[in-house]
Amino acid sequence: MNPVHQFKGCDLFALNVFLSVAAHRSFRAAGRELDITASAVSHSIKTLEQRLAVRLLNRTTRSMSLTDAGERLAVKLRPSLSSLTQALQEVDEFQHTPSGTIRINSSEGAVRLVLRPLLARFVRMYPQVHLDIVCDGRLGDVVADGFDAGIRLFEAVPQDMISVRVGGPVRFAAVASPSYLAARGRPAVPQDLHQHDCIRFRFESGALYRWEFARHGVEESIDVKGPITLTDQPLMVDAAIEGIGIAFVPDHLALEALRDGRLERVLDEWCPAYPGLCLYYPGHRHVSGALRALIDMVRDGAS
């Protein structure tokens, strides 16, 4: 008999029943998993064997095992049915309103830049979606930690992830108040920072951030010192405004204070731009309709 015709005679449910029996080695256990009776499982297996003209199971009153043909069919069938199920789920989602929970891992600054501008619009458009946003600066493993996606700088995104660029390049700024600069002078090169009071930043991991500068291919990494160490970058800006010292923060956090004169830039030519932020997610995992809706909104907002 033509194998194609054989397959047409074996519906997907019968094949799924066979895989459940192969996994549990029990008609009763397979029936519980599939919510059918043990006799229905037995009938399905018997019909499948008749259509394929081959025995798939060795059955006795005390035990059950797969025949060689059954083992081979199970090994080949598992990934195929898994792929088919995933494909049907993806198509099915086009018929339904996005729903469920999306867990996002990001730094607080990235949330403010990427998600804050669209949160209200997203919630109004997709009322059945719950956003669970965790602000965490440790750059953990989103898959291992149970997140659907994360947001971080492009250069820090793991290579096995799919990333969506959001926003333009990110630039850091070294800033200080006019009163501090009048009293202490302006650093001309990054090494001059060793003679200045600097407002340091500590990651949630506990590590201190080394200030990174670059100019004409020359890179400098400075382990600054100062009277205060913070884990909150907006608070670093406030501390600089108060004249405590020089802060090194993402440019956008200091723009308002720079415009109204409360802060001034220093070492500006040593502060290059870096590739911007990305929303990223594992490529091997099925993307739910809810996450796809968020990705599309983030992408539209970045364009």
Side-chain angles (χ1 to χ4, degrees):
M1 184 183 295
N2 188 314
V4 174
H5 293 163
Q6 287 181 343
F7 180 76
K8 287 180 179 179
C10 305
D11 62 30
L12 292 177
F13 181 74
L15 296 176
N16 199 40
V17 169
F18 166 69
L19 282 183
S20 182
V21 172
H24 294 290
R25 298 294 199 273
S26 165
F27 287 167
R28 190 179 302 276
R32 284 196 298 267
E33 179 183 63
L34 300 171
D35 197 24
I36 59 176
T37 64
S39 60
V41 173
S42 176
H43 177 74
S44 180
I45 294 296
K46 185 180 297 185
T47 301
L48 181 61
E49 289 178 325
Q50 290 173 349
R51 289 173 176 173
L52 296 178
V54 64
R55 180 175 290 277
L56 301 174
L57 298 171
N58 292 316
R59 300 182 285 274
T60 69
T61 56
R62 295 186 176 181
S63 66
M64 180 181 301
S65 63
L66 294 176
T67 65
D68 289 343
E71 287 281 7
R72 182 171 298 183
L73 178 61
V75 168
K76 296 290 186 180
L77 199 56
R78 285 190 187 98
S80 299
L81 275 187
S82 177
S83 297
L84 181 58
T85 299
Q86 179 173 322
L88 291 174
Q89 287 176 343
E90 292 180 10
V91 172
D92 186 58
E93 285 180 349
F94 282 98
Q95 304 174 0
H96 299 87
T97 301
S99 62
T101 297
I102 310 173
R103 298 196 71 227
I104 305 292
N105 178 276
S106 173
S107 67
E108 183 177 352
V111 168
R112 290 181 180 277
L113 274 177
V114 177
L115 296 183
R116 184 179 178 183
L118 55 80
L119 281 179
R121 181 159 56 99
F122 185 86
V123 170
R124 284 195 298 269
M125 289 183 64
Y126 304 105
Q128 297 183 45
V129 176
H130 176 78
L131 291 174
D132 185 355
I133 303 169
V134 177
C135 293
D136 184 354
R138 292 176 297 178
L139 301 182
D141 184 334
V142 293
V143 176
D145 294 338
F147 292 96
D148 298 294
I151 303 174
R152 65 173 66 169
L153 288 172
F154 174 75
E155 61 189 23
V157 174
Q159 292 185 351
D160 60 343
M161 296 285 173
I162 295 177
S163 58
V164 179
R165 293 286 189 98
V166 290
V170 173
R171 189 169 186 259
F172 273 68
V175 295
S177 69
S179 61
Y180 174 87
L181 295 175
R184 301 291 299 275
R186 308 178 74 92
V189 295
Q191 290 296 331
D192 290 346
L193 292 171
H194 290 302
Q195 280 71 55
H196 281 268
D197 291 334
C198 296
I199 301 163
R200 302 191 301 175
F201 177 75
R202 187 186 300 278
F203 293 105
E204 291 187 26
S205 64
L208 288 168
Y209 175 59
R210 295 176 64 95
W211 295 11
E212 298 174 336
F213 300 93
R215 182 187 182 193
H216 304 319
V218 177
E219 297 183 357
E220 295 274 4
S221 178
I222 308 297
D223 184 15
V224 298
K225 305 297 180 185
I228 186 171
T229 300
L230 301 169
T231 59
D232 182 83
Q233 289 177 324
L235 189 55
M236 294 172 66
V237 174
D238 292 339
I241 292 172
E242 293 297 323
I244 293 175
I246 301 173
F248 192 56
V249 295
D251 187 273
H252 70 276
L253 294 178
L255 284 181
E256 183 178 343
L258 288 167
R259 290 193 188 104
D260 62 25
R262 288 176 294 161
L263 289 176
E264 296 180 12
R265 296 180 187 270
V266 296
L267 301 172
D268 190 43
E269 67 276 14
W270 284 90
C271 299
Y274 298 95
L277 294 164
C278 288
L279 184 149
Y280 67 99
Y281 55 95
H284 64 273
R285 183 186 294 177
H286 169 61
V287 178
S288 68
L291 179 56
R292 174 57 59 192
L294 179 64
I295 291 170
D296 290 343
M297 186 173 289
V298 167
R299 182 184 285 115
D300 291 345
S303 61

